[in-house]
């Protein structure tokens, strides 16, 4: 007597397998079409109403804007600030904006609007003073010396140890005493939890970044690269790889990876609202393109 399963069972298994493959394919297709679909966002009803009513007045400068004023970094009159989400970040963010970057096209402003206590925007050549803070500050920018997010703590710890050695390089001390002091300080530094306190992003087109990133005030800072994320920005620059992110995407993805790789905590959407404006504009522009709307430019100031 044959022990092989009946033919109908084999066919059922094959059909189930095909169904799973189709479902996985459909899920991947949907994700590719809308990479922002699974975000934990606050209600965007306020943005929907503002989009329907059109441009509104900035309560500070009086300018006519859509959603928010990119000059004053505040929402416009028909977007009540109390209806906007407020995002708490684990560290401070400095954004260095190129002077030729068009304010109305910059996504960096989203971060300032949604996390005002944690984000500062500076227009180059204005750059904060980072001297003697290289052990607690990093710059997000790709390059041959850039490290991954998971390696940040290791490299900052090395900087702390180098600073300790430098401070103890005192030839007036007896060599034995100096050596004991150095060893003690190194042991103390290893016991400390290495934490990043501030992260820097450059807001400009990729062709303009060289002037800022080569500024001597940023030299010597640890550089971090986001190597695995892909952009869905509607103004993606031609000829550049899809790993070149918009500023708000870079900030968001950095924080998500920092939360899991450095803070060692489960990510539950804590920073998703940083994409509150971005995801809404993305969907508007996607819908406009699908309907052949020639007024797409009006949707983004």
């Amino acid at each position: 007597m044959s022990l092989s399963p009946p033919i109908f069972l084999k066919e059922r298994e094959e059909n189930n397998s095909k169904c799973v493959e189709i479902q996985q394919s459909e899920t991947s297709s949907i994700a590719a079409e809308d990479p922002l679909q699974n975000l934990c966002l606050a209600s965007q009803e306020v943005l929907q109403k503002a989009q329907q009513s059109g441009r509104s007045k900035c309560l500070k400068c009086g300018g006519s804007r859509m959603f928010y004023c990119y000059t004053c970094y505040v929402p416009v009159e028909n977007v009540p600030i109390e209806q906007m989400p407020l995002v708490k970040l684990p560290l401070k963010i400095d954004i260095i904006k190129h002077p030729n970057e068009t304010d109305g096209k910059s996504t960096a402003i989203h971060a300032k609007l949604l996390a005002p206590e944690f984000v500062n925007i500076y227009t180059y050549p204005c750059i904060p003073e980072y001297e003697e803070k290289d052990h607690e500050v990093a710059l997000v920018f790709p390059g041959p010396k850039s490290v991954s997010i998971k390696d940040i703590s290791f490299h900052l710890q090395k900087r702390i140890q180098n600073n300790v050695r430098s401070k103890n390089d005192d030839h007036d001390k007896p060599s034995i005493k100096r050596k004991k002091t150095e060893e003690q300080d190194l042991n103390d530094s290893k016991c400390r939890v290495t934490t990043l306190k501030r992260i820097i992003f450059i807001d400009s087109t990729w062709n303009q970044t060289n002037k800022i990133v080569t500024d001597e005030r940023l030299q010597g800072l640890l550089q971090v690269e986001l190597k695995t994320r892909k952009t869905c920005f509607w103004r993606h620059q031609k000829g550049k790889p899809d790993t070149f992110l918009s500023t708000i995407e870079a900030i968001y993805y950095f924080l998500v990876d920092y939360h899991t790789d450095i803070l060692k905590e489960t990510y539950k959407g804590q920073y998703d609202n940083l994409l509150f404006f971005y995801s809404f504009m993305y969907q508007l522009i996607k819908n406009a393109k699908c309907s052949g709307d020639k007024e797409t430019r009006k949707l983004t100031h």
Side-chain angles (χ1 to χ4, degrees), residues 259-260 264-270:
H259 193 86
T260 56
K264 303 297 182 182
E265 296 178 11
T266 302
Y267 183 69
K268 298 180 180 180
Q270 291 90 332

Side-chain angles (χ1 to χ4, degrees), residues 216-233:
E216 61 180 6
R217 291 168 290 179
L218 298 180
Q219 298 305 301
L221 293 179
L222 180 67
Q223 285 188 208
V224 181
E225 183 172 1
L226 304 173
K227 300 179 180 180
T228 61
R229 304 294 190 172
K230 294 184 179 181
T231 186
C232 61
F233 192 35

Side-chain angles (χ1 to χ4, degrees), residues 68-75 84 95 97 102-116 119 121 203 247-248 251 274 277 301:
Y68 56 82
C69 179
Y70 45 77
T71 305
C72 304
Y73 306 152
V74 295
M84 283 172 42
I95 300 172
K97 188 172 76 71
T102 304
D103 290 341
K105 294 182 178 180
S106 172
T107 62
I109 297 162
H110 299 179
K112 180 63 178 175
L113 285 162
L114 298 163
V119 178
I121 299 177
D203 184 44
T247 303
I248 194 62
I251 292 172
L274 285 175
F277 291 104
H301 317 293

Side-chain angles (χ1 to χ4, degrees), residues 4 11-12 14 22 26 32 36 50 99 101 105 108 111 113 117 126 136 164 203 233 262 264:
S4 59
E11 290 178 347
R12 184 177 178 181
E14 289 175 357
I22 292 172
E26 290 177 347
L36 307 177
E101 179 72 1
K105 294 182 178 180
L113 285 162
E117 295 183 10
C126 180
E136 60 185 34
V164 169
D203 184 44
F233 192 35
I262 303 298
K264 303 297 182 182

Side-chain angles (χ1 to χ4, degrees), residues 8-22:
F8 77 88
L9 288 179
K10 285 187 177 182
E11 290 178 347
R12 184 177 178 181
E13 289 176 358
E14 289 175 357
N15 289 336
N16 287 339
S17 178
K18 289 180 180 179
C19 286
V20 170
E21 289 179 1
I22 292 172

Side-chain angles (χ1 to χ4, degrees), residues 78-295:
N78 64 355
V79 181
I81 194 168
E82 62 271 13
Q83 293 185 37
M84 283 172 42
L86 195 62
V87 186
K88 184 178 180 180
L89 306 184
L91 40 71
K92 299 290 186 179
I93 292 178
D94 286 346
I95 300 172
I96 314 299
K97 188 172 76 71
H98 194 282
N100 293 337
E101 179 72 1
T102 304
D103 290 341
K105 294 182 178 180
S106 172
T107 62
I109 297 162
H110 299 179
K112 180 63 178 175
L113 285 162
L114 298 163
E117 295 183 10
F118 298 89
V119 178
N120 287 306
I121 299 177
Y122 303 89
T123 300
Y124 188 82
C126 180
I127 293 180
E129 183 59 61
Y130 300 118
E131 190 174 357
E132 298 183 1
K133 295 181 181 179
D134 67 336
H135 60 287
E136 60 185 34
V137 180
L139 169 67
V140 174
F141 195 80
K145 296 182 180 180
S146 297
V147 304
S148 64
I149 292 176
K150 63 179 62 176
D151 292 329
I152 288 177
S153 292
F154 171 77
H155 288 280
L156 292 184
Q157 183 67 49
K158 284 179 63 177
R159 288 170 183 260
I160 291 175
Q161 294 175 7
N162 290 337
N163 289 340
V164 169
R165 291 192 182 96
S166 178
K167 289 179 181 179
N168 288 320
D169 190 16
D170 185 353
H171 295 288
D172 292 332
K173 295 180 182 179
S175 59
I176 296 177
K177 183 178 180 181
R178 185 171 68 247
K179 183 177 180 181
K180 287 184 178 180
T181 303
E182 180 178 332
E183 289 175 349
Q184 182 62 47
D185 287 343
L186 282 172
N187 289 333
D188 289 345
S189 71
K190 289 177 182 178
C191 292
R192 301 188 194 111
V193 177
T194 304
T195 56
L196 184 66
K197 293 184 178 179
R198 191 173 298 273
I199 189 73
I200 306 167
F201 294 86
I202 295 176
D203 184 44
S204 74
T205 63
W206 286 99
N207 293 332
Q208 296 171 338
T209 54
N210 188 62
K211 184 176 181 179
I212 299 177
V213 78
T214 56
D215 190 288
E216 61 180 6
R217 291 168 290 179
L218 298 180
Q219 298 305 301
L221 293 179
L222 180 67
Q223 285 188 208
V224 181
E225 183 172 1
L226 304 173
K227 300 179 180 180
T228 61
R229 304 294 190 172
K230 294 184 179 181
T231 186
C232 61
F233 192 35
W234 49 89
R235 293 195 189 93
H236 180 64
Q237 298 170 54
K238 293 182 179 179
K240 302 298 181 183
D242 56 7
T243 52
F244 280 26
L245 308 172
S246 67
T247 303
I248 194 62
E249 285 178 309
I251 292 172
Y252 170 73
Y253 286 128
F254 173 87
L255 290 171
V256 171
D257 290 344
Y258 178 85
H259 193 86
T260 56
D261 294 339
I262 303 298
L263 300 184
K264 303 297 182 182
E265 296 178 11
T266 302
Y267 183 69
K268 298 180 180 180
Q270 291 90 332
Y271 317 122
D272 282 10
N273 274 320
L274 285 175
L275 299 178
F276 181 72
F277 291 104
Y278 185 85
S279 61
F280 186 77
M281 293 178 180
Y282 171 85
Q283 195 60 50
L284 279 181
I285 292 169
K286 177 185 173 185
N287 293 342
K289 287 181 177 179
C290 290
S291 62
D293 189 347
K294 296 181 180 180
E295 302 296 320

